[in-house]
């Protein structure tokens, strides 16, 4: 069985996000970029499944400009066997991303597609679901445990009410939540090996996908700054202060 | 202990700063067949680099002819120099010292410059490994340096192995080039082990704290370079400020306090924040926004503190050796030249032997010798220092004298022996509010569950002797608020907030008992500086 893992290059989770002064987007100048943490967890899960002898090959795929090869190489250094870059300079929205991934799914015929539940840049949480629908296969989202057996994936999902366990027939799309696993550290010699692993570049246009936008972004703005707090001396003063502001 | 996995190289460079990258790149330029790697503890190249920085471009011209056609992302030609003496309420323009004439130089971000150099080094065939800390030296059977040991990953705070544990590998090479920057932790061990400093003065340092701001449109004047001395420091404390005006409404500003200061009550962080509130500076920042901040020790000892730069199997270059030119406040051109000189030397023989002599006959050391007395001239105070600076500048450093340097940690006075000057500091309003807020803009990140990387040999000294004698100056000299004295049921204790550390090395330098040892945390930890 092959496992296909989608990884997205995003602003690192440690970076303080800053909106450009003209509101046209997020400032990425000199900013550290990394694999989306949920995708890294998805990749770790794929590698563990392979190491347990339940898959033969792990393929990482990313959509983006050539700079995303850096994240693909990291994925290869973690242990993926080969990488595919769907090359485009456009930032794709979830539906276009799902359509592009579907093309790779059709080429590669994986038994399992593992994606992060969402990317930490736009937090859409849509691509995995859309891919499953377009592909006509089951989906199991927000996974905190994945057990593969006899053509079935038993997936524990983190849902609002607690945990839910479902079984889905493979092939299927599984999206990872934070508690699925803790990704490994890359050993230094693996970085050298990763340089020699195959990385296939497929221009988005060659896949017959249009980057057309269903959503239009009007403006980016940082959250409003919190006003300075006021210290009150007593409960009575607090109540009168709240009343003054029409909050009581 | 298990046998560690081993990788072999011809040359290992520790540190992807200007010296290390220049050395690695020039090695490949001279001999493509050499296998060269660069180990970098930051998660990305440039993320632990902090400098002014006004840069003399000639060394870059030598390394990368044609770089001016595709310059690094922050590169503003120097337009005008101003030098000011500040008092609390006013300022006086001083004549510009010739060392600080920046015509033909460029204002850059050294972090951005290194991040820009890294892919070019990789294109030349250099293997760069960011996110891996060279934690220890590997010695050969003869006692020579034979490479480095990469730090283990996935070790818990109590030293046990977590599920993610990965043993660090050894990298072996005939020559290891230490380019760790100021007060490198491996360089420090090697200087001690091989007694490289036995014929020179102690090294001296400063602590530089820097912020990058976006100011209100029209306030930044791209290319303007402003330096100041005086307030908020007293006349006995050497230091000063820089303000470099960049493009896109950005201004880089910072403050350097020499670490030979005497007043145990002084906080260099507070001094910088005070400076920002000077009536001539504050209007520039008001209405603006802080983008990034950080701190790094600066090497100040110069010519008379330069240790021997070679030992069996290894070299010291750049600020790890200490080639920064203090009167110019510049080290990058020296680091690049020193790195290239090391490369030229190693390309001939892959042996460290003879490098020190070459370095001392090179323009790198000639430049240091010429200005050797200017910085120590300030040991007698601001006015004596300025007088010495004029004399040494006029005579071009040819007077037959060399003033000596003293170890910074010995200069601190005990509380009882020192009455601090009246600092008369102002109420602050500009961000950051305190050191914790400042650390936030350094985007520093350490996995909390890992061993504390600031090794304090004997915390009993902190609780008793140091509290009494110096009032725990670590709680003030650390720009990131790593050290705190806390009281709980068990009494008064030292708390080390290691996760805040920005890797500036000030504690390792200034601690009066020399019981703090800075070692590398897990690779990839530390600040994530943007354009500093």
């Amino acid at each position: 069985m092959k496992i296909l893992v989608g990884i997205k290059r995003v602003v690192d989770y440690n970076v303080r996000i800053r909106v450009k002064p003209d509101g046209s987007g997020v400032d990425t100048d000199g900013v550290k970029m990394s694999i989306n943490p949920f995708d890294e967890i998805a990749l770790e899960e794929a590698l563990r499944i392979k190491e347990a002898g339940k898959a033969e090959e792990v393929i990482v795929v990313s959509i983006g400009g050539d700079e995303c090869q850096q994240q693909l190489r990291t994925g290869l250094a973690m242990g993926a066997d080969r990488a595919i870059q769907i090359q485009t300079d456009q930032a794709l929205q979830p539906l276009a991303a799902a359509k592009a991934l579907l093309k790779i799914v059709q080429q590669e015929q994986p038994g399992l597609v593992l994606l992060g539940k969402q990317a930490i840049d736009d937090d859409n949480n849509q691509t995995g679901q859309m891919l499953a629908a377009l592909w006509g296969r089951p989906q199991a989202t927000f996974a905190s445990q994945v057990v593969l057996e006899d053509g079935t994936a038993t997936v524990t999902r983190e849902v609002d009410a607690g945990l839910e366990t479902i079984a889905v027939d493979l092939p299927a799309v599984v999206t990872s939540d934070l508690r699925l696993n803790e990704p490994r550290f890359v050993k230094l010699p693996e970085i050298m090996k990763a340089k020699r692993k195959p990385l296939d570049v497929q221009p988005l246009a060659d896949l017959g996908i249009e980057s057309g936008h269903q959503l239009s972004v009007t403006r980016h703005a940082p959250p409003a700054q919190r006003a300075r707090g006021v210290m009150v001396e007593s409960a009575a003063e607090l109540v009168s202060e709240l009343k003054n502001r029409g909050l009581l | 202990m298990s046998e560690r996995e081993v990788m072999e190289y011809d040359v290992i460079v520790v540190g992807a700063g200007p010296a290390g990258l220049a050395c690695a790149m020039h090695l490949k330029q001279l001999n493509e067949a050499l296998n060269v790697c660069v180990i970098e503890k930051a998660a990305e190249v440039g993320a632990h680099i902090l400098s002014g920085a006004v840069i003399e471009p000639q060394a870059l011209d030598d390394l990368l002819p044609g770089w001016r056609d595709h310059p690094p992302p922050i590169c503003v030609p120097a337009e005008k120099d101003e030098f000011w003496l500040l008092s609390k309420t006013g300022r006086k323009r001083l004549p510009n010292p010739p060392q600080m004439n920046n015509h033909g130089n460029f204002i850059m971000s050294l972090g951005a410059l290194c991040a820009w150099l890294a892919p070019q080094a990789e294109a030349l065939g250099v293997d760069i490994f960011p996110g891996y800390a060279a934690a220890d030296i590997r010695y050969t059977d003869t006692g020579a340096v034979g490479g480095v040991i990469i730090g283990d990953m996935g070790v818990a705070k109590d030293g046990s192995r977590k599920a993610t544990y990965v043993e660090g590998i050894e990298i072996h090479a005939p020559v290891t080039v230490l380019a760790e920057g100021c007060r490198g932790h491996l360089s420090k061990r090697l200087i001690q082990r091989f007694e490289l400093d036995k014929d020179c003065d102690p090294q001296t340092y400063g602590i530089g704290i820097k912020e990058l701001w976006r100011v209100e449109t029209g306030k930044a004047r791209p290319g303007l370079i402003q330096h100041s001395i005086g307030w908020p420091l007293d006349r006995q404390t050497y230091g000063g400020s820089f303000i470099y005006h960049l493009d896109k409404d950005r201004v880089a500003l910072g403050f350097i306090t020499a670490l030979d200061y005497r007043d145990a009550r002084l906080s260099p962080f507070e001094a910088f924040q005070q400076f920002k509130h000077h009536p001539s500076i504050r209007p520039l920042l008001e209405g603006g926004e802080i983008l990034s901040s950080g701190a790094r020790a600066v090497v100040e000892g110069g010519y008379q503190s330069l240790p021997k730069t070679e030992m069996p199997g290894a070299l010291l270059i750049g600020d790890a050796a200490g080639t920064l030119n203090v009167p110019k406040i510049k080290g990058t051109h020296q680091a690049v030249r020193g790195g290239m000189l090391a490369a030229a030397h190693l390309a001939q023989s892959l042996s460290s032997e003879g490098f020190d002599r070459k370095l001392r006959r090179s323009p790198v050391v000639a430049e240091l010798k010429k200005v050797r007395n200017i910085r120590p001239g300030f040991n007698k105070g601001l006015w004596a220092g300025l007088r010495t600076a004029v004399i040494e500048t006029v005579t071009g450093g040819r007077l037959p004298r060399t003033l000596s340097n003293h170890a910074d940690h010995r200069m601190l006075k005990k509380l009882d022996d020192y009455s601090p000057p009246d600092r008369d500091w102002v109420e602050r309003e500009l961000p950051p509010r305190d050191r914790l807020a400042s650390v936030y803009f350094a985007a520093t990140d350490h996995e909390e569950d890992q061993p504390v990387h600031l090794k304090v040999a004997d915390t009993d000294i902190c609780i008793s002797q140091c509290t009494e004698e110096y009032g725990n100056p670590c709680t003030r000299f650390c720009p990131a608020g790593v050290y705190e004295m806390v009281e709980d049921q068990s009494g008064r204790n030292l708390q080390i907030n290691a996760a805040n550390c920005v890797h500036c090395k000030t504690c390792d330098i200034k601690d009066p008992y020399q019981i703090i040892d800075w070692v590398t945390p897990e690779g990839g930890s530390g600040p994530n500086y943007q354009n500093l």
Side-chain angles (χ1 to χ4, degrees):
Chain A
M1 183 177 79
K2 283 185 201 174
I3 304 178
L4 185 71
V5 181
I7 60 178
K8 185 176 183 185
R9 173 185 165 94
V10 297
V11 174
D12 187 83
Y13 69 95
N14 271 310
V15 170
R16 236 183 104 252
I17 297 294
R18 193 173 300 106
V19 174
K20 288 181 190 169
D22 63 1
S24 63
V26 167
D27 197 349
T28 53
D29 177 29
V31 165
K32 183 185 170 197
M33 307 295 283
S34 301
I35 298 180
N36 174 39
F38 293 111
D39 300 346
E40 199 181 3
I41 292 169
L43 174 55
E44 175 67 32
E45 195 63 18
L47 297 173
R48 289 184 189 187
I49 292 169
K50 185 189 161 190
E51 284 158 6
K54 293 181 177 171
E56 288 77 48
E57 191 180 30
V58 175
I59 306 158
V60 281
V61 55
S62 189
I63 305 172
D66 289 346
E67 59 281 357
C68 80
Q69 290 185 6
Q70 199 189 336
Q71 279 64 42
L72 287 171
R73 289 285 171 206
T74 305
L76 293 171
M78 280 176 72
D81 299 288
R82 57 191 173 91
I84 300 168
Q85 177 199 358
I86 302 174
Q87 192 183 39
T88 173
D89 291 329
Q90 307 255 337
L92 295 200
Q93 292 183 351
L95 185 58
K99 285 180 179 170
L101 289 176
L102 180 67
K103 293 285 180 186
I104 305 300
V105 166
Q106 287 162 347
Q107 284 174 18
E108 298 289 344
Q109 300 291 328
L112 176 64
V113 176
L114 269 163
L115 305 174
K117 68 167 181 177
Q118 66 197 66
I120 61 166
D121 51 2
D122 50 22
D123 278 338
N124 275 315
N125 187 351
Q126 295 171 6
T127 304
Q129 293 87 330
M130 286 176 170
L131 173 61
L134 292 170
W135 190 17
R137 295 301 309 170
Q139 57 178 287
T141 51
F142 317 137
S144 64
Q145 195 185 26
V146 179
V147 180
L148 298 188
E149 226 162 30
D150 304 330
T152 305
T154 306
V155 178
T156 307
R157 304 180 63 227
E158 300 202 11
V159 293
D160 289 347
L163 297 177
E164 176 189 74
T165 304
I166 60 172
V168 292
D169 292 336
L170 297 177
V173 176
V174 174
T175 73
S176 62
D177 215 320
L178 200 61
R179 275 170 283 269
L180 181 58
N181 59 49
E182 190 177 346
R184 67 195 60 197
F185 292 109
V186 174
K187 280 192 103 169
L188 223 153
E190 302 299 327
I191 297 176
M192 299 309 295
K193 283 184 205 152
K195 289 186 177 180
R196 292 187 294 270
K197 288 182 180 175
L199 194 159
D200 176 27
V201 180
Q202 304 195 25
L204 183 72
D206 292 5
L207 295 174
I209 304 289
E210 296 199 2
S211 59
H213 288 178
Q214 287 76 33
L215 311 166
S216 74
V217 177
T218 51
R219 190 171 72 95
H220 291 76
Q225 291 230 327
R226 270 178 59 181
R228 233 188 150 96
V230 181
M231 294 300 284
V232 290
E233 298 289 334
S234 65
E237 199 185 329
L238 175 64
V239 170
S240 82
E241 193 64 39
L242 288 171
K243 276 186 179 159
N244 282 347
R245 289 161 198 244
L247 296 167
L248 266 185
Chain B
M1 201 181 211
S2 59
E3 283 282 299
R4 288 173 186 269
E5 203 172 326
V6 174
M7 280 171 85
E8 306 260 1
Y9 277 91
D10 295 318
V11 178
I12 303 165
V13 178
V14 181
L21 288 171
C23 178
M25 290 171 82
H26 199 48
L27 274 166
K28 295 296 278 188
Q29 287 169 339
L30 293 171
N31 183 355
E32 213 182 323
L34 289 173
N35 283 315
V36 182
C37 72
V38 180
I39 311 297
E40 169 58 46
K41 67 182 163 66
E44 286 205 314
V45 173
H48 287 186
I49 303 267
L50 182 146
S51 181
V54 180
I55 291 173
E56 283 188 12
Q58 288 76 18
L60 273 180
D61 291 338
D62 293 341
L63 180 67
L64 284 172
W67 72 272
R68 290 166 195 247
D69 300 331
H70 57 104
I74 296 182
C75 185
V76 179
E79 292 289 339
K80 190 175 171 218
D81 287 292
E82 291 179 0
F83 188 43
W84 298 92
L85 174 63
L86 302 189
S87 64
K88 188 182 174 187
T89 51
R91 62 175 183 171
K92 188 171 181 291
R93 182 92 182 254
L94 297 179
N96 213 43
Q99 295 90 354
M100 277 153 75
N101 174 2
N102 284 302
H103 182 75
N105 297 340
F106 292 88
I107 311 175
M108 297 189 193
S109 149
L110 188 57
L113 175 69
C114 291
W116 169 87
L117 280 174
Q120 303 185 61
E122 285 178 320
L124 286 167
V126 176
D127 292 333
I128 305 180
F129 299 118
Y132 293 88
D136 214 341
I137 294 287
R138 176 247 174 185
Y139 296 99
T140 64
D141 297 340
T142 61
V145 175
V148 297
I149 302 170
I150 301 298
D152 298 342
M153 312 277 253
V155 180
K157 195 159 196 160
D158 62 6
S160 64
R161 294 175 179 188
K162 295 190 276 187
T164 51
Y165 175 79
V166 174
E167 183 177 60
I169 67 161
E170 285 188 14
I171 307 183
H172 295 182
V175 190
T176 302
V177 177
L178 282 304
E180 299 176 282
C182 173
R183 193 75 168 195
H185 81 119
L186 295 180
S187 309
K188 175 182 152 183
R189 279 180 217 176
L190 292 170
I191 289 168
Q192 280 169 2
R193 182 181 173 109
F194 292 99
E195 297 179 317
L196 302 177
D197 58 353
K198 70 174 192 295
D199 298 323
C200 68
D201 283 353
Q203 188 56 272
T204 66
Y205 305 87
I207 169 68
I209 306 173
K210 179 182 172 183
E211 292 173 359
L212 181 67
W213 280 65
R214 184 187 286 132
V215 295
E216 284 180 323
T217 308
K219 281 186 177 173
R221 293 151 64 193
L224 177 61
I225 293 168
Q226 297 169 301
H227 290 107
S228 79
I229 52 174
W231 193 85
L233 294 180
D234 56 279
R235 295 283 145 83
Q236 297 305 314
T237 306
Y238 182 71
S241 78
F242 63 85
I243 303 181
Y244 302 151
H245 294 244
L246 302 167
D247 52 1
K248 300 180 187 164
D249 298 317
R250 290 177 297 184
V251 169
L253 72 162
F255 201 90
I256 299 176
T257 303
L259 285 174
D260 63 350
Y261 67 80
R262 294 156 176 78
D263 180 7
R265 296 171 181 91
L266 181 70
S267 159
F269 175 84
E270 186 58 32
F272 172 41
Q273 299 305 329
Q274 287 290 321
F275 158 75
K276 283 161 57 187
H277 288 74
H278 187 272
S280 69
I281 313 299
R282 189 178 165 146
L284 172 70
L285 302 177
E286 272 172 336
E289 170 192 21
I290 178 170
L291 302 179
S292 199
S293 80
R296 185 72 174 92
V298 187
V299 64
E300 288 190 347
Y303 179 76
Q304 49 276 59
S305 295
L306 190 69
K308 193 175 174 195
T309 53
E310 69 177 70
M311 67 210 92
L315 304 179
L316 297 174
I317 59 170
D319 282 356
T323 57
L324 180 136
N325 181 327
V326 176
K328 280 188 181 175
I329 341 176
K330 288 180 187 63
T332 304
H333 66 290
Q334 291 277 80
V336 171
R337 283 197 294 196
M340 291 176 71
L341 193 71
H345 175 77
L346 295 177
Q348 281 176 4
S349 65
L350 278 185
S351 156
S352 57
E353 208 179 321
F355 172 69
D356 191 65
R357 196 161 42 102
K358 279 187 194 162
L359 182 73
R360 283 175 203 275
R361 287 179 183 174
S362 76
V364 177
V365 173
E367 182 175 323
L368 292 180
K369 187 172 184 190
K370 201 172 160 187
V371 299
R372 70 193 179 282
N373 290 323
I374 297 182
R375 167 66 187 91
F378 285 87
N379 291 343
K380 292 202 164 68
L382 182 63
W383 298 121
L386 288 172
R387 201 162 50 236
T388 308
V390 170
I391 294 167
E392 291 293 324
T393 302
V394 169
T395 59
R398 282 185 295 270
L399 290 181
R401 62 167 183 176
T402 296
L403 304 177
S404 54
N405 288 328
H406 307 282
D408 292 329
H409 68 271
R410 293 184 194 282
M411 302 303 283
L412 207 60
K413 298 279 186 212
K414 291 181 181 162
L415 295 176
D416 291 345
D417 301 343
Y418 191 79
S419 49
D422 178 13
R423 299 249 174 240
D424 193 18
W425 282 356
V426 300
E427 183 132 341
R428 296 201 276 110
E429 279 162 29
L430 294 167
R433 186 178 64 252
D434 53 20
R435 288 179 288 182
L436 280 187
S438 172
V439 166
Y440 176 65
F441 291 101
T444 196
D445 172 45
H446 293 80
E447 162 63 47
E448 294 271 353
D449 188 15
Q450 66 168 306
V452 171
H453 71 279
L454 301 139
K455 308 281 184 203
V456 180
D458 182 357
T459 51
D460 287 344
I461 293 182
C462 311
I463 301 161
S464 52
Q465 194 179 354
C466 184
T467 301
E468 202 170 296
E469 292 184 334
Y470 298 101
N472 300 112
C474 60
T475 60
R476 290 177 291 279
F477 59 56
C478 171
V482 166
Y483 300 93
E484 263 186 286
M485 297 303 291
V486 293
E487 295 208 37
D488 55 23
Q489 287 103 339
S490 63
R492 206 161 152 279
N493 285 308
L494 176 70
Q495 177 176 304
I496 304 175
N497 307 311
N500 288 356
C501 177
V502 295
H503 298 197
C504 77
K505 317 287 172 66
T506 300
C507 54
D508 193 293
I509 296 164
K510 187 61 174 171
D511 151 37
Y513 306 98
Q514 289 295 286
I515 53 173
I516 302 177
D517 195 23
W518 190 100
V519 303
T520 48
E522 194 167 84
S525 305
N528 288 288
Y529 292 149
Q530 287 167 38
N531 295 329
L532 288 184

